[in-house]
Amino acid sequence: MSILKNILLVIVAPKMGWEEVNRSSFPTQDLLSKAFYPLLAALAVTEFIPMLYDSTLSLSVALMLAITSFASYFITLYLTSYLLDGFYPELNPTHSINSRHNDFIIYSIIYLVILKIIDNLMPTHFAPLYFLVTYVIFIIYCGAEFAGIEITDKNKLTKFVLIASALIIFVPVIIQLLLKGIFIHIN
């Protein structure tokens, strides 16, 4: 089973996808180097696409958007991992980047990166894409057991899904806003 197939399964059929991710158990470094980083690079490149149909978008603005998009999801991975380690230290007792906990975060963020790439490829903002962001909550819910949360403890499961979802959805948005604010003051 390939990493790409795992990503597609996690997105299309999360329950079955997480089971397959559990069976295939690719090393985290492979997941990062063969899927996450290339998708971030593709995301950065797609930030230049709107220049084709928006004459007001300059190269410097597109470059700023490429940098902020790449950096926001890159930082989100490590910041979310750090924060979830703080909330749930039992999920990653060694605090290693090579853990199921981090694989869980990477697969969840990849879904959002794919949505952002699709958004960049469209000439106008397609509103349903913004609603599809909430689907990551379902992906996280289905993957909670993979991450190490007891699904029989409904209270703990609910808290985990809410915390992980909030971090994975809102951290990249906040980072992008902060970086855009910094870049705007530089220009």
Side-chain angles (χ1 to χ4, degrees):
M1 176 84 42
S2 72
I3 291 174
L4 179 60
K5 190 169 182 183
N6 283 355
I7 291 169
L8 291 175
L9 273 175
V10 166
I11 292 171
V12 175
K15 185 102 173 123
M16 188 170 63
W18 287 115
E19 290 169 1
E20 187 57 42
V21 169
N22 190 36
R23 277 193 296 275
S24 60
S25 65
F26 288 104
T28 303
Q29 291 303 331
D30 283 355
L31 183 57
L32 287 170
S33 66
K34 293 180 180 173
F36 188 67
Y37 297 146
L39 275 172
L40 288 184
L43 173 62
V45 169
T46 62
E47 289 292 353
F48 293 94
I49 299 294
M51 288 177 58
L52 298 174
Y53 43 80
D54 184 2
S55 61
T56 63
L57 189 65
S58 67
L59 181 61
S60 64
V61 171
L63 183 60
M64 176 199 68
L65 291 172
I67 293 168
T68 57
S69 292
F70 183 94
S72 67
Y73 289 103
F74 182 81
I75 294 168
T76 296
L77 168 62
Y78 295 101
L79 186 59
T80 301
S81 176
Y82 176 77
L83 292 172
L84 275 182
D85 277 352
F87 288 118
Y88 297 96
E90 69 274 12
L91 297 182
N92 190 8
T94 61
H95 303 289
S96 167
I97 190 68
N98 297 317
S99 69
R100 294 166 60 87
H101 159 83
N102 288 318
D103 291 349
F104 167 79
I105 294 167
I106 294 166
Y107 278 104
S108 301
I109 293 173
I110 283 174
Y111 171 71
L112 295 179
V113 171
I114 291 170
L115 284 181
K116 182 70 173 153
I117 290 171
I118 292 169
D119 184 44
N120 288 344
L121 295 174
M122 301 212 166
T124 60
H125 293 291
F126 187 58
L129 281 177
Y130 298 110
F131 293 110
L132 287 175
V133 168
T134 59
Y135 183 68
V136 80
I137 298 169
F138 183 64
I139 291 172
I140 290 168
Y141 172 77
C142 291
E145 187 176 14
F146 172 82
I149 297 294
E150 294 285 330
I151 58 171
T152 55
D153 185 352
K154 295 297 180 191
N155 190 28
K156 188 174 183 177
L157 175 64
T158 302
K159 285 180 185 176
F160 175 78
V161 169
L162 288 175
I163 291 170
S165 298
L167 289 172
I168 289 171
I169 292 171
F170 294 115
V171 167
V173 172
I174 292 168
I175 292 170
Q176 277 186 341
L177 290 173
L178 290 172
L179 290 174
K180 284 178 184 177
I182 290 170
F183 281 128
I184 288 171
H185 291 300
I186 291 173
N187 288 334

